Amino acid sequence: MPKFNPSFSTRAIHVGQEADAETGAVAVPIYATSTYVQQEIGKHKGYEYARVSNPTRTRLEKNLASLEGGVASRVFASGMAAINAICTMFKTGDHVVCGHNLYGGTPRLFNQVLTGYGIAFTYVDTGDVRNVERAIRKHTRMVFVETPTNPLMALSDLRAISKVCRQKKVDLVVDNTFMSPYFQQPIALGADMAVHSTTKFLNGHSDGLGGVVVCTRPEQDEQLGFVQKAAGAILSPFECWLVLRGVKTLAIRMEQHDRNGRQVAAFLAKHKKVKKVFYPGLPDHPQHELALRQMSGFGAMITFETGSLANANKMLRKVRVCSLGESLGGVETLISHPATMTHAALGEKGRKQIGITDGMVRISVGIEDVEDIIADLDQALATI
Ligand SMILES: Cc1ncc(COP(=O)(O)O)c(C=O)c1O
């Protein structure tokens, strides 16, 4: 008998999403319970208290581990809670090397919370692997990379960075939120853990917050399980269920996001009011070749330069199909202004250092009819 080795969509729909053993329900039940009846002291069915474990959560953790190619995963109350959970494994004196262009909330956590516990962070352009190698020191525990970056859409070579990390015995953690496991598989490229804001493409419907850490070693899983129990920032059963429902359509949503993303990027690249477009799918993106090697699609995230804050504001006031708001990865097109929204916490100096301007607009292209998205952007850009 050949070994049954299901592909991505089959795993998204079936792993952890098996029919309920008791009733046959095809959808995973939401186990809305805070505790579980025990048969006698120390004898129970594997579930004691819902902060420690919950069957809906167990199902989601199994599913996401499978999609990212890890051995296990742990879900948390938000993407930030997931990143924070990884960092609780560090001790005073430990050091982390990170990409210099991350989602703004990540350096906010690192610089304004975790440095207070004596953990040190060095930010480098991880687009050049030599910068990573140079920044690693004796007490470095982790290299933390986002690729493509938010909002500059710059790439880092995960295979090359993972090689350096392996040599130096440092863990590589990749925030894979922008690509989702459908288009990019950091663990297959050598990462030790992958992290996501499930709030984005994994959920896909802008109706819940969440985060996940996917592990490659059982001890990571054990440690993160302990953090769930000890610190308690777990994902509720209802929010787990929303992600379980969302991932069933991840593949077809990502295909449509990608199709629409390519067309919107091509439209923007030709528009005379747009000064620059940041999208790895465009042949003139400086790392287009790496994108072709490392990702199986280019996705929905595009940043473009309107020239000034006034221009950005003018067009953002006019959009109708695109919704002005933070976040990304939902079925609806979301458009945002990084300098005042996602990257406000970096401050003007911090943004300038890495090249985020006041005229930049970021778009998370949804799965609406692409002609409508393009027509909307066209009429909004006409006001500049
Ligand atoms: C790339 C990336 N990582 C992490 C986060 C944080 O996730 P959450 O908002 O679920 O805490 C975000 C949020 O926008 C993000 O874009």
Side-chain angles (χ1 to χ4, degrees), residues 187-201:
I187 289 174
L189 294 165
D192 295 280
M193 282 183 259
V195 63
H196 282 268
S197 166
T198 63
T199 314
K200 313 300 191 295
F201 292 100

Side-chain angles (χ1 to χ4, degrees), residues 78-80 83 103 146 150 175 177-178 197 199-200 209-210 328:
S78 67
M80 289 320 304
I83 295 169
Y103 161 63
E146 239 178 67
N150 180 358
D175 184 334
T177 300
F178 267 31
S197 166
T199 314
K200 313 300 191 295
L209 226 63
L328 58 111

